[in-house]
């Protein structure tokens, strides 16, 4: 696709700033978080740097596609993508290494959230595990429980379209092999038979975050694997939903930000990334979305802190594990095809 055509495919949302000499094109998530950045972060950034910021909304795969489409005539300087996308974007030469000298807030980031030797940095972290209605279902102590026949037609399973399905495959492999999640991710050929035994317990395959409410409404007993950012905002409003973290461990879902290769405005782009990592901004985003920040030294009120895998020691206590996407991504296509056939046939 030509770069000119890409402009029509990826519509730009123009900020409210008046015209300025410098223009910065940024890819944000098509989510509540993206809206917050547009509303609360960008206007102040524009005023301080006397620039105009244009945002394009998308999810990880769409954002990577936008970079491919504009590779020959770079348009973006900063792009958001989950940690799963960073190895691929790096391998394709779509993103550049972050410069700590130009992004001083990188020093405040927990090291586990700096990816691919500095080609991307996480800024909002969700935990990924099962979810329940705590008024009806007791916390799940082991993933083995969801395979129990007593849960026949009572489990919501995340769609193979989403990354979370890979996480369930890793869980099944860990149970089948007796290996921890970190080792099981390299042994998934041993997990398919175990995963197949879950099929009688599946009520439905869901593909919308809104469908997590089926558990709150009593239509299903357990759901997942799901990101906490899809569950905790309901919990905070009094809806009977809660995450449950089995003893085998849980996963991370990490919203990240990258510098685009041959960025038209590299200095301004670095300043924008630095602003996203500013503790005051990180705190605001965390409080509004209930996703943990990646920068250290932030204090939260108890009513917010209870939802966050923060500080880093709490993430460790929860057994949060970030998969080896360098290994998984090249194999993901065939895995998801087999996964889809298993649960839709």
């Amino acid at each position: 696709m030509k770069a000119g055509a890409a402009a029509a495919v990826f519509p730009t949302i123009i900020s409210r700033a008046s015209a300025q000499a410098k223009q910065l094109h940024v890819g944000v998530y098509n989510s509540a978080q993206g809206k917050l950045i547009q509303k609360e972060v960008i206007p102040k950034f524009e005023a301080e740097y006397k620039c105009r910021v244009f945002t394009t909304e998308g999810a990880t795969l769409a954002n990577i596609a936008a970079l491919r489409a504009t590779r020959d005539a770079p348009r973006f300087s900063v792009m958001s993508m989950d940690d799963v996308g960073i190895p691929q974007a790096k391998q394709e030469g779509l993103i550049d290494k972050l410069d700590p000298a130009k992004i001083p807030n990188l020093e405040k980031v927990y090291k586990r959230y700096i990816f691919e030797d500095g080609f991307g940095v996480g800024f909002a972290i969700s935990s990924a595990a099962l979810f329940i209605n705590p008024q009806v279902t007791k916390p799940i102590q082991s993933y083995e429980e969801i395979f129990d026949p007593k849960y026949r037609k009572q489990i919501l399973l995340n769609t193979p379209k989403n990354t979370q399905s890979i996480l369930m495959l890793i869980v099944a492999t860990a149970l089948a092999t007796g290996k921890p999640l970190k080792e099981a991710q390299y042994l998934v050929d041993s997990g398919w038979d175990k995963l197949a035994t879950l099929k009688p317990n599946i009520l439905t395959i869901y593909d919308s975050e809104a469908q997590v409410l089926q558990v709150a409404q009593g239509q299903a007993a357990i759901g997942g694997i799901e990101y906490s950012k899809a569950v905790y905002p309901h919990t905070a409003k009094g809806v009977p939903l809660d995450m449950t973290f089995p003893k085998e461990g849980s996963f991370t879902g990490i919203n990240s930000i990258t510098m685009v290769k041959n960025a038209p405005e590299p200095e301004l782009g670095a300043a924008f990334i630095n602003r996203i990592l500013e503790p005051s901004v990180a705190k605001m985003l965390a409080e509004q979305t209930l996703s943990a920040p990646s920068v250290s030294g932030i204090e939260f009120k108890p009513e917010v802190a209870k939802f966050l895998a923060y500080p880093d020691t709490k993430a460790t206590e929860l057994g949060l594990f970030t998969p080896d996407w360098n290994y998984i991504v090249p194999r993901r296509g065939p895995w998801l095809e087999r996964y889809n056939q298993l649960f839709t046939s």
Side-chain angles (χ1 to χ4, degrees):
M1 180 182 293
K2 298 293 185 182
V9 175
F10 306 106
T12 296
I13 299 172
I14 303 175
S15 72
R16 296 172 297 176
S18 59
Q20 302 290 345
K22 292 183 179 180
Q23 297 183 358
L24 179 69
H25 288 261
V26 175
V28 299
Y29 288 100
N30 55 343
S31 64
Q33 178 202 89
K35 299 295 186 186
L36 271 173
I37 290 174
Q38 290 168 346
K39 180 181 178 181
E40 302 292 342
V41 180
I42 288 177
K44 296 175 184 178
F45 183 85
E46 288 175 319
E48 181 175 341
Y49 285 90
K50 296 180 171 56
C51 67
R52 190 174 183 183
V53 179
F54 296 79
T55 59
T56 298
E57 297 180 354
T60 296
L61 293 180
N63 289 351
I64 291 176
L67 293 186
R68 291 194 193 105
T70 55
R71 182 199 300 268
D72 294 337
R75 170 185 169 198
F76 299 95
S77 293
V78 175
M79 185 59 76
S80 299
M81 63 183 70
D82 290 353
D83 58 327
V84 62
I86 293 173
Q88 181 177 349
K90 177 186 176 183
Q91 291 166 11
E92 293 185 29
L94 300 173
I95 57 177
D96 216 342
K97 190 169 184 176
L98 304 176
D99 186 348
K102 298 178 181 178
I103 310 174
N105 283 325
L106 279 173
E107 285 294 321
K108 302 183 179 78
V109 175
Y110 292 119
K111 300 307 179 187
R112 70 162 78 193
Y113 301 126
I114 296 178
F115 304 113
E116 292 298 304
D117 193 30
F119 274 73
V121 57
F123 68 91
I125 294 86
S126 293
S127 51
L130 303 173
F131 61 94
I132 59 172
N133 179 337
Q135 298 176 358
V136 177
T137 304
K138 294 181 179 180
I140 305 301
Q141 301 301 315
S142 169
Y143 287 106
E144 188 67 57
E145 293 178 39
I146 69 175
F147 292 82
D148 192 309
K150 73 178 182 180
Y151 289 118
R152 181 176 177 83
K153 297 294 183 182
Q154 293 189 55
I155 292 175
L156 298 183
L157 186 68
N158 213 319
T159 174
K161 298 175 184 177
N162 292 338
T163 301
Q164 297 93 301
S165 57
I166 293 293
L167 307 182
M168 186 62 85
L169 175 56
I170 294 173
V171 162
T173 304
L175 296 175
T177 62
K179 301 290 186 181
L181 299 175
K182 190 172 184 178
E183 295 180 32
Q185 64 182 327
Y186 304 112
L187 303 169
V188 297
D189 283 345
S190 301
W192 290 106
D193 288 345
K194 178 66 176 179
L195 187 63
T197 66
L198 185 63
K199 190 172 182 178
N201 289 1
I202 302 304
L203 173 66
T204 189
I205 306 291
Y206 73 99
D207 59 6
S208 168
E209 288 187 1
Q211 289 177 272
V212 303
L213 293 174
Q214 288 182 267
V215 170
Q217 295 161 353
Q219 297 170 293
I222 303 168
I225 292 174
E226 186 54 85
Y227 293 130
S228 58
K229 64 183 179 182
V231 174
Y232 281 150
H234 298 294
T235 312
K237 293 176 182 177
V239 176
L241 277 178
D242 203 2
M243 299 293 293
T244 181
F245 300 95
K247 65 181 181 180
E248 292 86 359
S250 303
F251 302 87
T252 54
I254 305 175
N255 294 154
S256 304
I257 197 163
T258 63
M259 177 70 71
V260 178
K261 187 77 170 180
N262 298 320
E265 289 288 348
E267 301 295 329
L268 205 55
F272 186 84
I273 294 173
N274 195 60
R275 180 59 52 88
I276 294 296
L277 298 175
E278 180 67 33
S280 61
V281 172
K283 182 176 183 178
M284 180 275 293
L285 291 174
E287 290 174 337
Q288 294 294 319
T289 66
L290 301 182
S291 294
S294 63
V295 296
S296 61
I298 301 176
E299 294 187 5
F300 294 98
K301 294 179 180 179
E303 58 266 32
V304 174
K306 65 182 180 180
F307 294 119
L308 306 179
Y310 187 88
D312 198 43
T313 50
K314 185 177 177 181
T316 300
E317 290 169 5
L318 289 173
L320 295 192
F321 159 65
T322 300
D324 181 355
W325 297 119
N326 266 316
Y327 176 82
I328 293 172
V329 168
R331 298 164 173 80
R332 184 181 180 187
W335 288 357
L336 291 184
E337 183 177 353
R338 184 172 178 180
Y339 195 108
N340 189 51
Q341 291 174 348
L342 176 62
F343 287 105
T344 60
S345 59

